[in-house]
Amino acid sequence: MVVSRKTSVVVLLVSLTVLLLVSLFPVKAANQITLKVVIGPDTEDNRAQNLVTLEKIKRFEAANPGIVCRPVPFTYTTRQDFFIKQASRTAPDVLDVWATECELLASRNWIIPLDDYIKTWDKADWVIPSAYAPFRYNGKIYGIPFAGYVKHVIYNKRMFRENGVPEPTLDWTWEDFLNAAVKCTDKEKGIAGFAPMTKGGEGGWALTDFIYQAGGECEVYENGKWKAVFDSPEAVTALQFLKDLKWKYDVLPANWSNGWTDVYNIFGSEKVAMVFDADWGRNVAINGQGMDPNDIGVAIMPKGPGPKGRHMGVQGGNFYVINALSTPEVQDAAWKWLTFELWDEEDIKALAASAADYRAQKQYRAQFEYIPLKPDSPYIKAREEVFAQNSDVLLSWGSEEFLMKLPETAHIEPPIEAQVLYAQFLAPVVQAVLSDKNADPAKLLKDANARFQKEYLDHVN
Amino acid sequence: MIEVKTRHLEQMSIPPVKPVGYVVRKNFSRYGMGLAFLVPAFIFYAIFQWAPIIYNFFLAFQNYIPGLPAKWVGWANFRRVLGDSLLPIAIKNTLAFTGWALLIGFVVPIITAITITELRKGRSFFRLAVYMPNIIPAIALYVMWLYLFNPAVGLLNQILNFFHIPSSEWLLSPKTALVSLVMMSTWANFGSTAVLYMASLSSISEELYEAAEIDGAGVWKRIRHITLPALKPTILILLLMQLIFTIQVLQEPMVMTGGGPNNATMTVMYMVYNYAFVYAEFGKAGALGILLFIFLMVLSLVYVKANKLVEKEAR
């Protein structure tokens, strides 16, 4: 049989089209749900953790027939990756995100409220109710907290000892903090008493700690409207204090323009006595710079001056959220994945197994973690046992009194446009007072406050 | 004779209509290969350059949330962008950066190219030397300059102190941060521009210089009457390109200063970036992008037009 050239071309084109369509729309088994779950990017330092995730996927699929997990390499380290993945509908169905992200994600309908799921969750009672606060939006809960922090001071014990500075107590004040910074500063040797974050959004984030300590706030909800209040006398006191640390007492590093990583590198290289830390900063100093963990002490934030002064640090952490772009069936599967093995025996086993890896690599599990569960929950007790058995590599931080007091010093981040507030409005005023001896903190804050109100909060109200 | 006549008649007659397939095949055999070479570039530019530019015009009038249907919002994005208190600061910084970059970065490559060309010995070495900064990876370059700018231990302050000049705060002071970035940017990029000028210089006939030397022209006269006029077309086009390039400055302030201190290095493009990829306000990013696009387009058209006038006058 002779096939004409025209027929051959048509057959070829049809075959190619079918092939393309099949590759674009793979045939799924009936009722099969594909769940996109997060896995770390395939790098050397993620390899061990990724293997743990892949094992968990196998167990999850075995326990939930009909759900197939597709690992998506992803971390919420920069927002842009998430934006791009949402646009192309390739973002994971379950994500872990920062505590500041609630308003951004919920107001744009990118995540779903979890209240109905929480009602049926057997571990719901374990969670400290206040831990949900950063992810409450319009009266609903949008995220499950799984690792939290309350910012506090980490200090170099050896430098304190050598300079005759007493260890911070649970009632220490700005005055004590300043005395410690002054005594530890040695400009000849390039050593500073305190290194604040000042660069990028971190600069604003760091200033809010001082504002809260002085008794101030950034945003308040009054008469049904959001109001910017970081031009209060307390906030001015906070900014003035930061300014004095530079110009009056000269206890900051000569190069004061530092971001998150810079600050902990300086601390790890023992060029500064004190820094504020949330959770992972000391990991940079210990595993990155080789600082001896025994030289690091922790203290709650110092109390600000005046009747409104208080011990206070930013409360943050990470939350699990479910992608609103997923179908309802996938969202149900996502909740199953989110709660699968969370805070149970497998989790504890994995933690115990990781101790051997840290020993083999001569590193430490150094981060500070504030598990948002009630102290009597079974997970907390089991976890404490594993930490006690492997205390050479799994580091615990602070005395019992410190750990009891720390939650009382927690202050949630501004609910509306926190990252904008930090980067665009507060960081510049920090930089202004540190770069200009004659800068007027009251004027700078008044101006920034008015602009933030007009350009952002008024649009929300 | 008869034969010739017949042929002539054949030529005069209406040519037979050629089949479409024949025309396509003929044109394809003539232009096909050339067009095929253009296709990848065309597709690349269409997808990654032209389509985003066109799409941006729509984006500027929409409230776009990635993954969800966009909503038309009219001029709202433009109103919010123009009402942003940071915009006047960013415009001022961008123009200042462009001005400084042209003042330093425009003249330096020309002087360098002419100087190297005038050298009798070591020309190849200096050509290589001036191009070296261009091959340093950007991140390495920024880290290196962060050390150089360090007010306590940085090399630049060590040099100043050696000459008993007081230290500078460089990136830490709003007064010096922008100029410091221009210095770094000029150092990093002037080599590639200088190479273009040197290529242009090599096309100038040696005979012109020899004739000028015979006529007793010194170095300055040779530069003024031969080199600079010959370089003029290159200078004009590179000036425009540098203008467009520097007005879109983003990388340097983003990596080196984060726009600080106190917004002293915040630029228009950095605002566009922040709107889109930090604050998820893509409509505002689109609106500001369009405004910048229109400004650059008008500037370029005026510049090109002005240069055509100059050429006409020269004729």
Side-chain angles (χ1 to χ4, degrees):
Chain A
M1 193 179 80
V2 179
V3 180
S4 74
R5 197 172 161 190
K6 203 172 172 180
T7 313
S8 306
V9 170
V10 169
V11 168
L12 189 68
L13 282 175
V14 169
S15 310
L16 282 172
T17 311
V18 169
L19 204 65
L20 187 70
L21 288 173
V22 166
S23 65
L24 284 176
F25 306 103
V27 180
K28 277 200 297 188
N31 301 324
Q32 182 185 293
I33 291 169
T34 304
L35 184 70
K36 297 192 287 292
V37 299
V38 172
I39 195 162
D42 186 20
T43 56
E44 193 63 43
D45 52 333
N46 276 335
R47 207 145 285 165
Q49 184 56 46
N50 286 353
L51 287 174
V52 171
T53 307
L54 291 171
E55 287 300 317
K56 185 179 164 185
I57 287 173
K58 280 183 197 165
R59 294 194 298 274
F60 178 76
E61 287 177 343
N64 295 278
I67 303 177
V68 174
C69 292
R70 186 156 68 81
V72 177
F74 180 77
T75 52
Y76 198 87
T77 44
T78 58
R79 285 172 160 185
Q80 67 187 51
D81 290 348
F82 173 67
F83 300 161
I84 293 163
K85 279 194 156 51
Q86 280 295 81
S88 57
R89 299 211 167 216
T90 54
D93 298 306
V94 186
L95 302 138
D96 60 275
V97 298
W98 317 319
T100 51
E101 302 305 273
C102 180
E103 194 258 342
L104 174 95
L105 302 173
S107 69
R108 286 168 176 76
N109 296 319
W110 270 335
I111 53 175
I112 58 166
L114 303 175
D115 302 72
D116 290 342
Y117 290 117
I118 292 170
K119 276 178 204 162
T120 61
W121 188 27
D122 59 343
K123 287 171 189 156
D125 289 342
W126 293 13
V127 182
I128 299 169
S130 64
Y132 289 116
F135 259 78
R136 277 185 198 277
Y137 184 76
N138 286 346
K140 289 180 177 170
I141 296 172
Y142 281 80
I144 301 295
F146 69 94
Y149 63 75
V150 178
K151 280 174 82 180
H152 52 278
V153 178
I154 58 172
Y155 61 96
N156 187 315
K157 283 182 177 176
R158 192 182 50 72
M159 284 167 75
F160 267 48
R161 216 170 32 243
E162 287 171 4
N163 291 292
V165 182
E167 300 249 335
T169 56
L170 290 176
D171 59 352
W172 76 323
T173 63
W174 276 11
E175 206 179 325
D176 302 321
F177 174 81
L178 178 62
N179 284 336
V182 170
K183 282 186 180 172
C184 291
T185 299
D186 185 346
K187 288 280 162 162
E188 288 288 306
K189 291 180 183 167
I191 294 171
F194 173 62
M197 292 173 203
T198 57
K199 202 173 172 183
E202 300 103 298
W205 185 54
L207 175 63
T208 59
D209 288 318
F210 285 114
I211 292 176
Y212 302 146
Q213 287 159 27
E217 295 291 339
C218 293
E219 297 170 356
V220 290
Y221 193 64
E222 274 179 8
N223 305 323
K225 287 188 174 174
W226 285 100
K227 194 176 166 195
V229 290
F230 55 89
D231 59 347
S232 64
E234 293 79 24
V236 174
T237 304
L239 190 59
Q240 182 66 49
F241 182 62
L242 193 56
K243 186 184 170 190
D244 289 346
L245 291 177
K246 159 79 179 159
W247 298 107
K248 195 170 173 185
Y249 303 108
D250 195 17
V251 295
L252 305 188
N255 181 16
W256 53 261
S257 178
N258 294 301
W260 190 90
T261 314
D262 307 321
V263 160
Y264 301 113
N265 276 326
I266 301 170
F267 184 72
S269 57
E270 308 206 38
K271 290 291 180 193
V272 66
M274 292 183 288
V275 291
F276 291 170
D277 188 23
D279 45 7
W280 280 85
R282 68 208 72 185
N283 185 60
V284 175
I286 294 168
N287 289 324
Q289 294 287 337
M291 190 175 180
D292 184 349
N294 294 316
D295 279 346
I296 299 178
V298 292
I300 59 163
M301 288 291 200
K303 185 181 171 185
K308 287 188 173 177
R310 53 193 174 168
H311 300 280
M312 200 115 295
V314 171
Q315 174 194 359
N318 285 63
F319 283 73
Y320 285 128
V321 295
I322 294 181
N323 199 328
L325 300 190
S326 315
T327 61
E329 297 77 33
V330 173
Q331 287 170 1
D332 289 343
W335 173 257
K336 284 180 184 166
W337 169 259
L338 191 159
T339 50
F340 184 70
E341 295 180 356
L342 182 65
W343 302 322
D344 72 5
E345 210 176 317
E346 287 298 328
D347 207 354
I348 292 293
K349 277 185 196 165
L351 180 67
S354 70
D357 294 334
Y358 284 110
R359 267 184 215 106
Q361 290 167 29
K362 294 185 178 167
Q363 292 206 320
Y364 299 91
R365 189 183 194 279
Q367 69 267 30
F368 176 84
E369 272 175 338
Y370 173 60
I371 304 296
L373 300 181
K374 293 171 187 164
D376 57 351
S377 58
Y379 177 77
I380 291 288
K381 286 176 184 167
R383 192 173 184 274
E384 279 171 359
E385 277 173 27
V386 174
F387 267 74
Q389 286 159 8
N390 300 281
S391 58
D392 58 323
V393 285
L394 305 184
L395 303 180
S396 302
W397 297 97
S399 63
E400 205 168 313
E401 294 77 33
F402 165 82
L403 293 171
M404 291 288 281
K405 179 81 177 171
L406 192 63
E408 294 171 23
T409 69
H411 193 297
I412 63 161
E413 296 183 78
I416 311 295
E417 299 285 8
Q419 298 294 345
V420 176
L421 173 65
Y422 293 157
Q424 207 171 314
F425 294 89
L426 294 181
V429 301
V430 168
Q431 293 158 3
V433 297
L434 296 183
S435 61
D436 181 4
K437 200 176 181 176
N438 300 314
D440 180 353
K443 188 172 173 295
L444 286 165
L445 285 173
K446 191 180 173 191
D447 174 56
N449 193 76
R451 285 189 290 115
F452 182 63
Q453 180 71 46
K454 187 182 162 201
E455 292 167 28
Y456 285 89
L457 296 190
D458 284 351
H459 289 273
V460 176
N461 289 328
Chain B
M1 199 63 194
I2 295 166
E3 212 181 281
V4 171
K5 229 177 192 175
T6 317
R7 218 184 292 152
H8 178 71
L9 281 173
E10 272 173 9
Q11 281 171 357
M12 290 294 287
S13 66
I14 299 163
V17 177
K18 286 165 184 160
V20 177
Y22 170 80
V23 175
V24 171
R25 271 200 299 277
K26 194 182 168 195
N27 280 329
F28 186 78
S29 62
R30 186 183 290 174
Y31 305 116
M33 194 56 79
L35 288 171
F37 275 111
L38 277 179
V39 167
F42 180 83
I43 292 172
F44 181 85
Y45 279 101
I47 294 174
F48 296 109
Q49 296 279 336
W50 305 324
I53 289 172
I54 294 164
Y55 177 63
N56 202 40
F57 277 91
F58 294 101
L59 191 63
F61 296 95
Q62 292 176 334
N63 177 17
Y64 169 67
I65 297 170
L68 295 168
K71 289 177 192 155
W72 292 97
V73 292
W75 293 94
N77 290 325
F78 288 90
R79 276 197 296 273
R80 284 201 71 185
V81 164
L82 294 173
D84 192 327
S85 55
L86 197 55
L87 186 62
I89 299 169
I91 291 173
K92 189 178 134 241
N93 291 341
T94 306
L95 293 179
F97 185 93
T98 307
W100 280 109
L102 290 183
L103 197 69
I104 304 170
F106 178 62
V107 183
V108 170
I110 298 174
I111 295 172
T112 309
I114 292 173
T115 309
I116 291 174
T117 312
E118 286 292 330
L119 286 174
R120 302 281 176 204
K121 284 180 183 175
R123 215 184 278 181
S124 304
F125 169 76
F126 285 106
R127 266 186 199 159
L128 180 69
V130 296
Y131 196 73
M132 285 293 274
N134 281 270
I135 58 173
I136 298 175
I139 291 299
L141 182 99
Y142 296 140
V143 171
M144 183 183 89
W145 275 91
L146 280 173
Y147 280 110
L148 293 179
F149 283 135
N150 188 303
V153 294
L155 180 68
L156 296 180
N157 273 352
Q158 302 295 326
I159 293 170
L160 290 180
N161 294 342
F162 180 79
F163 291 106
H164 303 290
I165 300 169
S167 297
S168 170
E169 289 283 284
W170 302 111
L171 298 173
L172 299 184
S173 166
K175 288 175 190 160
T176 51
L178 199 73
V179 181
S180 303
L181 291 185
V182 173
M183 271 171 55
M184 184 195 77
S185 183
T186 303
W187 183 85
N189 299 311
F190 88 101
S192 59
T193 320
V195 165
L196 291 174
Y197 284 122
M198 281 186 262
S200 229
L201 284 170
S202 65
S203 66
I204 303 171
S205 169
E206 286 289 325
E207 288 168 8
L208 286 172
Y209 287 107
E210 284 164 14
E213 272 181 47
I214 291 166
D215 288 345
V219 173
W220 294 114
K221 281 198 172 174
R222 288 206 303 272
I223 289 171
R224 196 180 151 201
H225 296 290
I226 301 172
T227 310
L228 286 178
L231 276 184
K232 194 181 158 191
T234 313
I235 289 174
L236 289 175
I237 193 71
L238 283 180
L239 178 65
L240 179 65
M241 285 173 72
Q242 264 180 278
L243 200 66
I244 293 170
F245 181 73
T246 50
I247 282 180
Q248 296 182 72
V249 59
L250 166 68
Q251 212 167 294
E252 289 87 349
M254 192 174 155
V255 179
M256 301 288 286
T257 60
N262 194 16
N263 292 323
T265 54
M266 179 57 68
T267 62
V268 174
M269 271 306 283
Y270 199 2
M271 277 187 76
V272 172
Y273 173 86
N274 280 342
Y275 278 148
F277 296 114
V278 180
Y279 308 133
E281 293 175 324
F282 290 86
K284 283 167 76 175
L288 189 51
I290 291 295
L291 293 175
L292 187 64
F293 176 82
I294 292 170
F295 174 73
L296 284 175
M297 183 69 96
V298 170
L299 194 76
S300 306
L301 287 174
V302 169
Y303 181 85
V304 169
K305 188 98 174 157
N307 280 323
K308 273 185 185 163
L309 286 174
V310 170
E311 277 171 28
K312 275 182 195 166
E313 277 168 17
R315 267 182 235 148

